[in-house]
Amino acid sequence: MKERSPRLIWIILCILCATICAQESDSPSHKLSRGQNSVEAQYQPETLAQWKPEDTQNGGQGKLAVEEALLLLRPLQPNRNGVARSDKTAGFVGTTVYYAKQAFFLLFMNGPSPDDYLSTQPEERKLNKPLWKAVRLLEGAAKDGEPDAIFLLAEMNFFGNYTHPRNYSEAFRRYQELSTLNGNNSAQHMIGFMYATGIGGAVERNQAKALMYHTFSALGGNTRSQMTAAFRHHTGVGTPRNCNDAAFWYKKVADKAIAFSRSGPPGGMALQRDAFRLADENGGVYGEGASVVSSGVYANKAGPNSDSHAALDDVLEYLDLLSRKGDPKATFSLGRLHYEGSRTMKRNFKTARSYFMTVARKYWAKDGSIVTEDNGVGKVASKAAGYMGKMFLRGEGMEQSFEKALTWFKRGIANGDSLCQYEMGLMYLQGLGVKKDAVKAADYFKEAADQDFASAQVNLGQLFLDQGDIQTATRFFELAARYGHIEAFYHLAEINNNGVGRDRACGVATAYYKLVAEKVETIHSAFDEANRAYEDGDLETALAVYMMAAEQGYEYSQANVAYLLDEYKSILSLDALIPWKTSRPSLLRNTVLALIYWTRSAKQSNIDSMVKMGDYYLGGHGVDADMERAATCYQTAADSQQSAQAFWNLGWIHENGLGVEQDFHLAKRFYDQALETNQESYLPVKLSLTKLRLRSFWNTITNGKVNSIRTEPDPKPNFSFSEWISKFLEDQQPYYQPTDEDDFSDPLPTDDFYDDIDESIVESLIIIALAGALAFLVYYRNQRQTNHRRDVERDEQQRQQQPPPPQGGAGDQQQQQQQRQPGLEGQQADGGFFPPPGDPGYAQWVAGGVGH
């Protein structure tokens, strides 16, 4: 066994190495060259039409050289500057393989980084023979003025396409050569980008030159430069803010975006969003529980075993299990997930159709007759019918058939499905398989809009807009805008920009145009390429592509660029102590640029980025340390009432007097607010409060000058009894109000709540006690009077039963009268002090007389 163990280990390592290599060679991302994708992103029909000259000297020979070079370049594999990221799959086997791969890379595929921290020179690498030959062909054609050759050389040096080493200085020279040759707007865009960012140290950052080149490129029709120019005028980067110029350029891009959206099948193109924040995948900039995205109101309330923490594969597996048990909702959800797709899962129409058909057959037979009376199954089947009809209408995964689409829509409409109602209205509006009828279309749109279906609201708004009813149209557009509908945003932008039915609102129009432009990522950005490069470990390519989108104004990309450039994710970093830890490329070590993009992201309402700005100003990263600016950043982030990190930082700087006056009492208040904002910060807040109380105690006993922690003064004044009665009568709010459903979602109050009882409650309890005592006294008095009256009546009856006494003198009568009227002086015969009605003294008593 001891002799076989080494052999067994080597066999396992060999098998693991072969598996990894096979996966690397067979993966789609390995087959598709990222370099080729970069070129293909530039080689769009629109771009080629803009920069290819119609006639050049020696054009024939130059084009032949370019074609020959491309034949040599296409088989080359991309330049991989990092180890591909492998996802950890669920299960014991998947977890074991994942960690085995990590261990294998750690032990056998790590080495010292060839990157010199202080070197700005391009990387010297030998070119393989096909690449060397292709470069020579392109350089020869470039000398003859062939623009295709110049452009390819520039792209290869910038992106590192076809395993060519990156050389940003050479790339800048080639782009400038092409721009001078024929005013190529793509080259002008890249020159403007390099002046704006100073990427690779090729040129010094110059925002004025950047805006100039972007403006020339935008005038030439380059969509990326139009987006960049619009954002710079909108936020004032390199130029004073100008709303009109921003609206002008954003409208250019929005027009292209809406044209692209409408160019697809009936209902428009399916727009998929590839942009996302890299930090969100790890719980945010500050990690799970400390960042806004993963704490407070955004924290997952469910337990660790719930779907909130489950991966997409786990969700699909769970839904598949329910579907196999006959759950129609789970089956429909699976179909919808496969139909709509996501950033991590491609659309699969064939699988989606299979799930939708499974749900539909539970309710309808082949002839359309209903096989069950279950209303729940009927509603889910109607939704599935809507998607089936939509796929036939658009020809997605099947041959386009208006007749079959109409059949499915009619089935869904019978159960009031909003999607079927909208699609049926669309068919009547455009005359797809039916005769055009705008009235019927409006009726169907109205029924779907009443169910808050956004697309129906947009189409209904367009019909009202065509009739000149601006107010009603605007109302429907605003309803649909709640769901982020691109058509609603575009119409609202046009209405506000042109002042239709209202005063012109340039700022509102610009914001709507920006939303429209950013929704269609395909026409001006390459997020899918950046995401793929990041997942493959090629951080330089990911940074460059994210940076281009960031210059266009995408907040997601601005946050991503700052996150990739951020070197201060931890105060106690252990990277320098780990010998096998791969060092960061020089391109990713630029704190000045990181602060710039943190700032731009923060200006677009990213709270964590605002806190990061404060960290950079506090630590002097990329800028001179400025405590006052750091405090301002923290205070601005804290004003949102969502960042516990911002409150904690405010408490820390007030405790230490950095940028603000040292104040222990105010520091305690900020620490308390941090805990109120995020309960997960309990431990760090309690530790900070413990240290703060010790410092405050020492400051107090030594008569220090710092404001120590003190008892909060009572903010409520003490009312007298008469003032409280007046306030009670004037108060229009009842003490007891009907509870709202949201009241039950609030957390339970802490123990401090019960220690600080409101004085108004105490006064109310005293008044209630006094009222009860008064009621008891009145009741006791009435009982005494009743008992006394009964005694008098009993004595009277006893006297009547006795024989009459002998007649006596006046003195005897007076004595007998006194005996019959016992009591106090001034008291009446019935025992009371007030004369009853009919008594001679009653009138005097009513008039206020005394002395009776």
Side-chain angles (χ1 to χ4, degrees):
M1 293 296 294
K2 293 182 179 180
E3 296 179 357
R4 293 181 180 179
S5 297
R7 296 181 181 180
L8 182 61
I9 294 174
W10 280 109
I11 292 173
I12 293 174
L13 289 176
C14 292
I15 294 175
L16 182 61
C17 182
T19 303
I20 294 173
C21 295
Q23 291 181 356
E24 291 293 326
S25 61
D26 294 338
S27 62
S29 60
H30 192 75
K31 291 179 180 178
L32 294 175
S33 166
R34 280 195 313 275
Q36 294 176 5
N37 289 339
S38 301
V39 175
E40 290 172 1
Q42 300 286 346
Y43 272 102
Q44 296 175 356
E46 176 188 1
T47 308
L48 289 174
Q50 291 169 354
W51 70 271
K52 275 193 174 182
E54 296 181 359
D55 186 20
T56 56
Q57 295 181 355
N58 300 324
Q61 295 181 357
K63 291 183 183 301
L64 291 176
V66 171
E67 292 177 359
E68 184 179 354
L70 286 174
L71 290 175
L72 294 171
L73 293 173
R74 286 193 180 102
L76 299 179
Q77 298 296 338
N79 180 21
R80 306 181 67 85
N81 293 332
V83 178
R85 298 171 181 264
S86 57
D87 296 330
K88 181 173 64 175
T89 58
F92 175 77
V93 177
T95 304
T96 304
V97 172
Y98 171 80
Y99 285 111
K101 287 183 180 180
Q102 298 298 319
F104 181 80
F105 283 120
L106 181 65
L107 295 174
F108 300 103
M109 300 187 69
N110 270 288
S113 174
D115 185 34
D116 185 7
Y117 276 54
L118 302 177
S119 175
T120 58
Q121 299 298 324
E123 182 182 0
E124 295 293 338
R125 286 177 52 189
K126 293 183 178 181
L127 306 182
N128 57 49
K129 187 173 182 180
L131 179 60
W132 178 84
K133 186 176 181 180
V135 170
R136 291 293 175 267
L137 289 171
L138 292 175
E139 288 178 347
K143 290 181 180 179
D144 296 334
E146 174 57 40
D148 290 2
I150 301 174
F151 183 77
L152 276 174
L153 287 172
E155 294 283 284
M156 290 167 64
N157 282 279
F158 186 88
F159 290 101
N161 297 340
Y162 307 112
T163 70
H164 192 283
R166 287 184 172 90
N167 189 330
Y168 294 104
S169 298
E170 177 65 16
F172 180 81
R173 187 181 72 83
R174 291 294 184 181
Y175 284 131
Q176 202 165 36
E177 179 184 359
L178 183 59
S179 174
T180 305
L181 178 65
N182 58 7
N184 181 349
N185 58 54
S186 296
Q188 291 170 343
H189 165 75
M190 293 303 297
I191 295 173
F193 170 75
M194 297 183 78
Y195 270 122
T197 61
I199 185 171
V203 291
E204 185 178 355
R205 287 188 298 112
N206 190 320
Q207 302 301 331
K209 288 185 176 181
L211 181 60
M212 180 186 69
Y213 276 101
H214 279 305
T215 302
F216 284 135
S217 179
L219 291 172
N222 187 280
T223 307
R224 299 184 178 188
S225 286
Q226 289 173 347
M227 280 281 288
T228 306
F231 177 73
R232 285 176 169 263
H233 285 292
H234 182 53
T235 56
V237 179
T239 181
R241 296 183 63 180
N242 191 317
C243 182
N244 291 324
D245 289 344
F248 173 79
W249 289 118
Y250 271 131
K251 176 175 169 51
K252 292 283 188 183
V253 185
D255 290 341
K256 296 178 182 179
I258 205 68
F260 176 83
S261 176
R262 295 171 179 174
S263 63
M269 295 287 291
L271 304 177
Q272 184 171 325
R273 190 176 187 85
D274 292 319
F276 76 105
R277 297 189 187 95
L278 300 177
D280 292 355
E281 297 293 304
N282 300 319
V285 174
Y286 291 98
E288 189 75 31
S291 308
V292 173
V293 71
S294 59
S295 64
V297 296
Y298 301 104
N300 291 323
K301 300 296 183 183
N305 297 323
S306 68
D307 291 341
S308 301
H309 300 269
L312 179 61
D313 292 339
D314 297 332
V315 174
L316 292 175
E317 184 178 355
Y318 177 71
L319 291 175
D320 183 66
L321 176 63
L322 295 179
S323 177
R324 293 176 184 275
K325 292 182 178 181
D327 188 345
K329 292 183 179 179
T331 307
F332 171 76
S333 299
L334 283 171
R336 186 173 179 178
L337 286 173
H338 284 284
Y339 175 79
E340 295 179 350
S342 65
R343 180 176 56 85
T344 57
M345 185 178 71
K346 293 183 179 180
R347 304 178 72 186
N348 191 327
F349 297 127
K350 183 178 180 180
T351 305
R353 178 186 178 183
S354 175
Y355 283 119
F356 291 144
M357 284 296 297
T358 302
V359 177
R361 287 171 182 168
K362 291 180 180 292
Y363 190 72
W364 290 293
K366 292 184 178 180
D367 58 355
S369 59
I370 299 176
V371 298
T372 180
E373 297 297 333
D374 190 341
N375 292 331
V377 176
K379 290 182 179 180
V380 179
S382 299
K383 294 180 181 296
Y387 279 94
M388 286 295 301
K390 185 177 181 180
M391 294 174 71
F392 276 112
L393 179 65
R394 297 167 60 90
E396 295 174 326
M398 60 191 71
E399 185 179 354
Q400 191 176 35
S401 175
F402 296 148
E403 181 180 357
K404 292 182 180 180
L406 192 65
T407 301
W408 283 108
F409 292 148
K410 287 181 179 179
R411 292 181 180 180
I413 290 174
N415 288 329
D417 182 66
S418 58
L419 176 59
C420 293
Q421 292 167 348
Y422 161 72
E423 297 291 352
M424 183 68 81
L426 192 65
M427 294 182 71
Y428 275 104
L429 183 64
Q430 300 181 2
L432 304 175
V434 295
K435 185 178 180 181
K436 278 190 177 183
D437 192 333
V439 177
K440 284 187 177 182
D443 291 338
Y444 282 115
F445 289 149
K446 181 65 169 61
E447 293 177 1
D450 290 341
Q451 299 186 54
D452 210 15
F453 195 80
S455 297
Q457 291 168 342
V458 168
N459 281 271
L460 202 57
Q462 290 174 345
L463 293 176
F464 279 107
L465 189 64
D466 293 339
Q467 295 176 359
D469 191 348
I470 307 299
Q471 300 300 327
T472 305
T474 302
R475 180 170 62 86
F476 280 111
F477 292 144
E478 290 175 348
L479 290 173
R482 296 174 301 154
Y483 299 98
H485 201 286
I486 183 173
E487 289 278 355
F489 288 150
Y490 183 75
H491 285 294
L492 289 173
E494 291 284 271
I495 290 173
N496 285 278
N497 188 43
N498 297 311
V500 180
R502 61 178 66 184
D503 294 335
R504 183 175 184 269
C506 179
V508 177
T510 303
Y512 279 127
Y513 280 136
K514 185 175 186 290
L515 290 172
V516 174
E518 291 182 351
K519 273 193 166 294
V520 186
E521 303 169 352
T522 307
I523 65 173
H524 49 65
S525 302
F527 285 107
D528 57 340
E529 179 187 348
N531 297 340
R532 187 165 55 250
Y534 177 77
E535 292 172 357
D536 291 343
D538 188 359
L539 299 183
E540 292 189 20
T541 299
L543 177 68
V545 182
Y546 280 136
M547 201 177 293
M548 289 181 180
E551 287 294 309
Q552 296 168 19
Y554 275 95
E555 189 277 322
Y556 285 1
S557 292
Q558 292 167 352
N560 288 346
V561 172
Y563 182 73
L564 289 174
L565 295 175
D566 185 28
E567 298 185 68
Y568 307 99
K569 295 182 174 66
S570 176
I571 297 177
L572 301 175
S573 178
L574 301 178
D575 293 350
L577 303 178
I578 302 177
W580 57 80
K581 184 69 175 179
T582 305
S583 60
R584 293 166 59 88
S586 59
L587 189 65
L588 272 68
R589 296 193 301 273
N590 192 330
T591 55
V592 176
L593 210 56
L595 178 59
I596 290 175
Y597 285 108
W598 283 130
T599 304
R600 294 181 183 178
S601 174
K603 287 183 177 180
Q604 299 198 64
S605 304
N606 189 318
I607 300 174
D608 284 333
S609 295
M610 181 65 71
V611 180
K612 265 293 183 180
M613 278 182 61
D615 293 346
Y616 272 60
Y617 281 115
L618 185 66
H621 306 313
V623 68
D624 294 336
D626 191 332
M627 305 303 173
E628 293 184 0
R629 284 193 176 185
T632 302
C633 292
Y634 295 146
Q635 185 63 57
T636 304
D639 289 341
S640 66
Q641 302 295 322
Q642 297 180 14
S643 176
Q645 184 71 45
F647 280 119
W648 193 93
N649 290 354
L650 281 174
W652 188 80
I653 63 175
H654 279 86
E655 178 184 353
N656 296 280
L658 301 177
V660 293
E661 183 179 356
Q662 192 173 14
D663 192 328
F664 292 155
H665 183 72
L666 194 56
K668 177 185 178 298
R669 293 179 61 183
F670 283 122
Y671 285 141
D672 290 338
Q673 285 182 293
L675 183 58
E676 293 174 1
T677 304
N678 183 11
Q679 295 298 322
E680 296 183 15
S681 63
Y682 178 84
L683 180 60
V685 168
K686 289 301 181 182
L687 292 175
S688 300
L689 285 174
T690 301
K691 178 174 67 71
L692 179 65
R693 290 184 184 278
L694 291 175
R695 295 185 64 181
S696 177
F697 173 74
W698 180 257
N699 178 74
T700 302
I701 62 177
T702 57
N703 295 324
K705 298 181 179 179
V706 182
N707 184 22
S708 298
I709 300 175
R710 61 184 185 276
T711 304
E712 292 283 353
D714 189 2
K716 297 183 179 180
N718 295 321
F719 294 105
S720 64
F721 180 75
S722 59
E723 292 175 343
W724 187 91
I725 293 295
S726 300
K727 182 176 177 59
F728 177 79
L729 295 176
E730 293 175 358
D731 192 4
Q732 300 296 327
Q733 296 292 335
Y735 279 94
Y736 299 98
Q737 298 177 350
T739 57
D740 190 67
E741 294 181 358
D742 295 337
D743 295 340
F744 297 98
S745 62
D746 296 335
L748 292 176
T750 58
D751 295 337
D752 296 338
F753 175 84
Y754 300 102
D755 296 336
D756 186 17
I757 302 178
D758 197 334
E759 286 187 358
S760 62
I761 299 178
V762 177
E763 292 176 354
S764 300
L765 295 176
I766 295 174
I767 292 174
I768 292 173
L770 292 175
L774 181 61
F776 174 78
L777 292 176
V778 172
Y779 173 78
Y780 180 76
R781 178 179 178 278
N782 290 336
Q783 292 293 342
R784 288 285 303 270
Q785 288 181 353
T786 302
N787 294 334
H788 180 72
R789 190 180 300 110
R790 290 175 180 174
D791 293 339
V792 172
E793 291 176 355
R794 185 172 59 254
D795 294 339
E796 188 72 19
Q797 290 177 358
Q798 291 178 358
R799 283 192 296 269
Q800 290 178 359
Q801 293 176 359
Q802 294 178 0
Q807 297 293 332
D812 296 337
Q813 293 179 358
Q814 184 177 5
Q815 183 178 4
Q816 292 175 2
Q817 184 177 1
Q818 291 178 356
Q819 291 176 357
R820 290 195 301 266
Q821 297 179 356
L824 298 176
E825 183 180 359
Q827 188 175 11
Q828 303 300 317
D830 60 353
F833 287 94
F834 306 110
D839 190 270
Y842 180 78
Q844 289 185 350
W845 176 78
V846 173
V850 295
H852 55 275

